[in-house]
Amino acid sequence: MNKGTFKGGVHPYEGKELSMDKPTVKLLPGKELVYPMSQHIGAPSKPIVAVGDHVLMGQKIAEASGFVSVPISASVSGTVKDIKPTLTVSGSIVDAIYIENDEQYTPIEGLGAKRDYTKLSKQEIRDIVKEAGIVGMGGAGFPTFIKLTPKDENAIDYIIVNGSECEPYLTSDYRMMIEEGEKLVDGVRIILQLFDNAQGVIAIEDNKPKAIEHISELVKNEDRIRVQVVRTKYPEGSERQLIKAVTGRKINSSMLPADAGCIVNNVDTVISIHMAVAESTPLMRRVVTVSGDAIVNPQNFNVKTGTKYSEVLEAAGGFKVKPEKLISGGTMMGLGLFDVNIPVTKTSSALLAFIKDPMLLVPEGPCIRCGRCVEACPENLIPQMMMEAAERFDDASFEAISGMECMECGSCTFVCPAGRKLTQSLKQTRRSILDNRKKK
Amino acid sequence: MKDLYNVSASPHVRSGVTTRSIMRDVAIALIPASAFGVYQFGFKAFLVLLTSVASACVCEFLWKRFVVKKSTPYECSALVTGLLLGMNLPASVPLWIPVVGSAFAILVVKEMFGGLGQNFMNPALGARCFLLICFAGRMTAFGVEKASSHFMNGAAAVDGISSATPLAVIKNLEAGQSITGSVSLFDMFFGFTGGVIGETSTIAILIGAAYLLAKKIISLRIPVAYIATFSVFVVIFGGYGLSCDGFYYLLCELCGGGLMLGAWFMATDYVTSPITKGGQIVFGIVLGLLTGIIRICGNSAEGVSYAIIFSNLLVPFIEKFTMPRAFGIVKKKKGGAAK
């Protein structure tokens, strides 16, 4: 089969074997659950419960507060203890609803009821997806109902399911494809119901032969759904690069996938769409990979949102030795953590712990202009020149050499032999340029 | 503090390739050519190489002390510069020549412009050209007398080597002399000729280049563009055309002089070659043209060193016109991008 791919990219150590063959374990949360109001891109949700209220599992506890915003549902039944700011993964402090778990898991009426989605109208499906609070679960957290409502739905000809999971160590999407493949395929059917001209493509990297085999078997009688094998390379799972790999079309940073006739959704997101539409269950769980050389028992957990990282960590047996580095997400784009007392949100894909901080192994020296960053850049940029501009605070030159096209994938820092922190510096400059634009 | 985790922005992993490992690989790749040089020119060649490397390292160390910078011997870049300079000297030079050359390469060409990564021309070649201008006689004394000390003068002492290199011979052919009769391509390919220490053996250089390619230290873009352009130039302007002699002449031009060493090891120097992929090809083409012009139209039989340091100066200019278009950016109607 013809494998799709893109130019550039890197091959970091995958580390997936640590957790890929172990079944996902369902994890019940402890006494206290925390629901930050910002689990997505856009305006924070607005609490609709008050301290002292009793809530049921699946009940909506916060509503959308703008167009780019989604509701949040309780993942347990219990009492609202408090509404106060909490620390989140990104280091920001946002308002959160604290719920004391009564451990009854009393569901709200109608939770889990089967629904025949073929009888639903397009608008009904979009409303269900919105009310279920579904966001892009690959990490960005963009509200899914907006993605499913493009300007011209007839122009969409590809519904791409991103099963490439190119981040090292992460195996949650892989496990989902193996364990819940039927739900995934059904989720694609639901999305296809919205787009009459589209075909569904489930893109999987070639380092996951079992998932490719399993999903191919499931879609063999589907007219409108197929599996596309893509080459194992980071960042194959980046939206723009994946669209190129599957369709050959290229979009830049100021375009949307819909401009290329594509809608890209992550595996877990599609499964969540299935659960919301066909099983009346809002988004209140996610699969988290716990891995890394400092973890006793690396594996995947099906976690209720609001559970604390510390509990997930405990379930994986805790640390072998005290790690130097904790990461939420993958090693290429994840966020460094300084505390595990942080709630799992809709976008938490992994908790990684490393005994040694790999970033400290290479001393930082002067750039030798070797061009490795140029070879690696999936966006066809010259990171070396961008960093020079960034170090001079020369925003004009930075933009002139297309610096804003950078998607901060980390490939340039990964390959730099001089140990320079290219991505980090580009990231900072991009943020400051974006901020300045807002001020104007 | 020990209880805290290291927090940093992503990414959190490295590929493992470091400046040091790259420099080490380049040094390893230079071993076949320099070892052959020692075999061919004897212990004298070894002394020249050793002096050159040692003085380059000492110069860098002293400079770092002078400007109160942390010494960074782990980068090994002075070692590579010193070795390349030594390989570009004839074995017969007095030992103070490599010392002067290394000092010029490290102190003037490299450190005065900001050190590693900031030099605008190849330090080893800059120093070679400096020495060629200052000490032309000593720098072109390639002759080895027949049956002189085998230990000191190596294999070259067995047959003796005239002071004219094969390139000089074919450049100054007298009327009626055939090219196939005056130089041996076999000797040139394996390196049993006169010349500077590291350039004579084409095969040894190609082995080193293959190692660099396999390790992905260099790409084919610069050397192939360089050699191809030069070959085309020689065929068109060499005066032999596409005849059998012309082919022989072309191969002699390719194997002779510093072309191979220059194309694979000096033109590919990271710091002084363009970082854009299109720019690397343009750079190779410019090199090929310049080398051809100097060798064929000029007085000198050898032109690689000058071609490279001159092209080094064009690098910022070449980069400016070969900026790639970013992923998904559609070409504007008006625009000067060459690639």
Side-chain angles (χ1 to χ4, degrees):
Chain A
M1 191 190 274
N2 190 17
K3 287 176 192 168
T5 191
F6 62 98
K7 235 165 74 181
V10 293
H11 293 99
Y13 169 66
E14 288 175 20
K16 295 194 189 259
E17 67 284 351
L18 289 173
S19 56
M20 77 188 296
D21 293 323
K22 294 184 200 157
T24 307
V25 175
K26 224 173 181 147
L27 184 70
L28 287 180
K31 216 54 202 153
E32 187 187 60
L33 287 101
V34 184
Y35 301 90
M37 293 297 101
S38 266
Q39 306 196 8
H40 53 264
I41 286 182
S45 317
K46 219 162 66 200
I48 51 169
V49 290
V51 176
D53 284 2
H54 189 261
V55 296
L56 299 172
M57 183 165 77
Q59 183 180 336
K60 195 158 97 172
I61 53 173
E63 61 179 11
S65 69
F67 178 65
V68 185
S69 185
V70 288
I72 294 169
S73 302
S75 55
V76 293
S77 58
T79 317
V80 178
K81 273 280 158 213
D82 209 347
I83 299 178
K84 62 176 183 191
T86 184
L87 182 69
T88 58
V89 165
S90 64
S92 58
I93 291 175
V94 301
D95 276 339
I97 299 176
Y98 288 67
I99 290 179
E100 190 182 48
N101 184 5
D102 65 8
E103 293 179 6
Q104 302 298 315
Y105 303 103
T106 324
I108 194 166
E109 205 190 323
L111 187 76
K114 293 270 183 288
R115 195 155 30 187
D116 183 4
Y117 56 82
T118 53
K119 297 209 174 78
L120 295 173
S121 75
K122 290 179 181 177
Q123 195 50 47
E124 278 170 329
I125 291 179
R126 287 186 178 119
D127 288 343
I128 292 170
V129 169
K130 182 180 179 183
E131 281 305 297
I134 298 175
V135 298
M137 292 166 81
F142 187 73
T144 301
F145 76 92
I146 301 178
K147 267 192 196 178
L148 296 183
T149 321
K151 265 187 227 135
D152 178 9
E153 63 178 46
N154 289 322
I156 302 297
D157 48 6
Y158 284 100
I159 302 298
I160 302 173
V161 179
N162 188 350
S164 54
E165 198 161 53
C166 56
E167 274 275 12
Y169 292 93
L170 268 56
T171 54
S172 55
D173 287 349
Y174 172 74
R175 290 309 310 173
M176 301 282 274
M177 285 191 277
I178 299 270
E179 292 168 23
E180 302 186 20
E182 292 83 1
K183 290 183 182 176
L184 176 71
V185 174
D186 204 44
V188 183
R189 276 190 217 115
I190 294 171
I191 304 176
L192 285 175
Q193 204 176 316
L194 299 174
F195 301 101
D196 301 326
N197 299 331
Q199 55 166 320
V201 178
I202 301 174
I204 309 175
E205 274 189 353
D206 58 4
N207 63 349
K208 306 175 185 65
K210 276 191 203 161
I212 295 169
E213 198 184 317
H214 181 63
I215 302 288
S216 301
E217 183 62 30
L218 289 174
V219 299
K220 74 172 179 220
N221 295 324
E222 299 282 340
D223 299 336
R224 294 174 66 193
I225 307 176
R226 65 182 171 90
V227 170
Q228 167 82 51
V229 181
V230 290
R231 207 162 283 164
T232 303
K233 184 160 73 171
Y234 178 86
E236 192 75 79
S238 146
E239 201 166 59
R240 288 181 243 167
Q241 274 60 34
L242 191 68
I243 289 173
K244 159 73 179 58
V246 172
T247 69
R249 299 169 191 170
K250 287 184 180 178
I251 56 168
N252 60 43
S253 66
S254 50
M255 293 161 83
L256 291 172
D259 294 332
C262 297
I263 288 178
V264 184
N265 280 306
N266 164 269
V267 167
D268 212 351
T269 313
V270 176
I271 292 175
S272 300
I273 291 174
H274 162 85
M275 286 172 64
V277 177
E279 296 178 13
S280 320
T281 309
L283 177 54
M284 51 185 202
R285 60 101 198 105
R286 79 151 295 138
V287 178
V288 178
T289 306
V290 184
S291 190
D293 58 6
I295 300 287
V296 174
N297 232 334
Q299 58 183 312
N300 284 287
F301 293 96
N302 190 330
V303 183
K304 287 180 179 295
T305 53
T307 310
K308 287 185 183 140
Y309 270 125
S310 50
E311 292 166 24
V312 187
L313 179 63
E314 215 170 285
F319 297 134
K320 280 183 209 161
V321 279
K322 186 158 170 63
E324 257 184 20
K325 190 149 216 176
L326 275 183
I327 303 165
S328 166
T331 49
M332 293 300 284
M333 284 187 90
L335 296 157
L337 289 182
F338 50 90
D339 195 355
V340 282
N341 205 10
I342 284 175
V344 170
T345 65
K346 294 169 183 176
T347 54
S348 318
S349 53
L351 175 66
L352 305 180
F354 296 99
I355 299 171
K356 282 265 164 265
D357 181 358
M359 288 307 276
L360 297 180
L361 298 179
V362 183
E364 192 164 354
C367 168
I368 55 169
R369 294 170 41 92
C370 66
R372 280 176 174 70
C373 51
V374 180
E375 295 274 353
C377 184
E379 292 285 326
N380 211 18
L381 302 170
I382 310 287
Q384 183 261 347
M385 291 186 190
M386 286 154 62
M387 185 168 178
E388 269 185 6
E391 285 183 334
R392 295 194 304 265
F393 302 103
D394 184 351
D395 291 356
S397 311
F398 186 85
E399 289 187 70
I401 53 177
S402 307
M404 299 308 281
E405 291 298 308
C406 169
M407 57 163 172
E408 304 169 7
C409 68
S411 300
C412 45
T413 300
F414 172 76
V415 294
C416 184
R420 297 181 73 73
K421 298 188 172 72
L422 291 124
T423 315
Q424 289 85 338
S425 135
L426 307 185
K427 204 181 288 194
Q428 207 171 7
T429 306
R430 289 187 75 238
R431 299 289 146 88
S432 89
I433 292 176
L434 288 176
D435 277 356
N436 288 338
R437 277 185 195 169
K438 270 185 207 156
K439 276 179 208 156
K440 273 172 198 162
Chain B
M1 286 299 277
K2 276 214 139 168
D3 288 342
L4 296 178
Y5 301 112
N6 286 343
V7 180
S8 60
S10 62
H12 307 284
V13 273
R14 294 281 198 194
S15 66
V17 176
T18 61
T19 303
R20 183 195 180 136
S21 75
I22 292 171
M23 295 294 174
R24 192 192 55 215
D25 278 335
V26 174
I28 290 173
L30 287 169
I31 287 176
S34 39
F36 182 85
V38 173
Y39 163 78
Q40 169 76 352
F41 299 109
F43 189 66
K44 266 164 127 182
F46 178 74
L47 283 180
V48 169
L49 292 177
L50 188 71
T51 316
S52 177
V53 170
S55 50
C57 293
V58 169
C59 283
E60 181 164 88
F61 176 76
L62 291 177
W63 174 266
K64 290 276 153 84
R65 285 293 289 269
F66 175 64
V67 297
V68 203
K69 245 184 170 177
K70 215 174 88 202
S71 181
T72 48
Y74 59 83
E75 278 160 356
C76 304
S77 78
L79 187 149
V80 171
T81 303
L83 187 55
L84 276 173
L85 174 65
M87 292 171 75
N88 274 296
L89 299 174
S92 59
V93 291
L95 288 182
W96 56 265
I97 289 253
V99 176
V100 172
S102 286
F104 186 82
I106 298 291
L107 298 179
V108 179
V109 184
K110 198 168 117 185
E111 296 295 353
M112 278 193 183
F113 288 89
L116 182 62
Q118 300 296 323
N119 47 297
F120 62 91
M121 68 164 77
N122 189 314
L125 284 183
R128 185 197 184 182
C129 294
F130 166 75
L131 294 173
L132 267 172
I133 293 164
C134 298
F135 313 106
R138 289 197 167 92
M139 287 295 288
T140 48
F142 301 115
V144 176
E145 269 175 49
K146 193 167 177 173
S148 53
S149 158
H150 186 260
F151 175 73
M152 288 306 282
N153 294 306
V158 177
D159 301 323
I161 279 186
S162 79
S163 70
T165 60
L167 278 189
V169 172
I170 54 176
K171 186 161 181 90
N172 302 314
L173 283 182
E174 280 161 34
Q177 246 180 323
S178 89
I179 179 166
T180 41
S182 39
V183 288
S184 154
L185 190 56
F186 176 86
D187 283 353
M188 287 177 77
F189 186 69
F190 288 96
F192 304 110
T193 59
V196 300
I197 297 169
E199 74 179 13
T200 57
S201 173
T202 305
I203 178 81
I205 292 166
L206 289 179
I207 291 170
Y211 176 79
L212 288 187
L213 285 172
K215 282 266 186 177
K216 297 202 169 149
I217 306 282
I218 60 172
S219 78
L220 282 171
R221 284 185 287 269
I222 294 175
V224 168
Y226 185 1
I227 294 169
T229 311
F230 177 71
S231 302
V232 171
F233 191 94
V234 166
V235 169
I236 298 175
F237 298 105
Y240 290 90
L242 278 168
S243 63
C244 210
D245 270 3
F247 191 60
Y248 195 85
Y249 174 67
L250 172 62
L251 288 179
C252 287
E253 282 286 347
L254 290 180
C255 295
L259 183 76
M260 284 295 158
L261 187 65
W264 295 102
F265 288 95
M266 318 277 241
T268 54
D269 172 35
Y270 290 147
V271 179
T272 53
S273 61
I275 202 166
T276 56
K277 292 179 200 171
Q280 291 174 354
I281 293 171
V282 173
F283 183 71
I285 293 172
V286 171
L287 279 173
L289 292 176
L290 280 174
T291 309
I293 291 169
I294 299 174
R295 272 197 188 178
I296 291 172
C297 314
N299 275 327
S300 160
E302 176 56 282
V304 173
S305 305
Y306 291 114
I308 293 177
I309 61 170
F310 183 74
S311 305
N312 288 160
L313 304 180
L314 298 176
V315 165
F317 188 68
I318 294 174
E319 279 178 351
K320 196 171 172 189
F321 288 98
T322 52
M323 285 298 286
R325 257 183 299 132
F327 186 86
I329 298 278
V330 187
K331 197 175 180 180
K332 286 181 199 132
K333 285 216 175 92
K334 218 182 108 204
K339 199 116 185 116

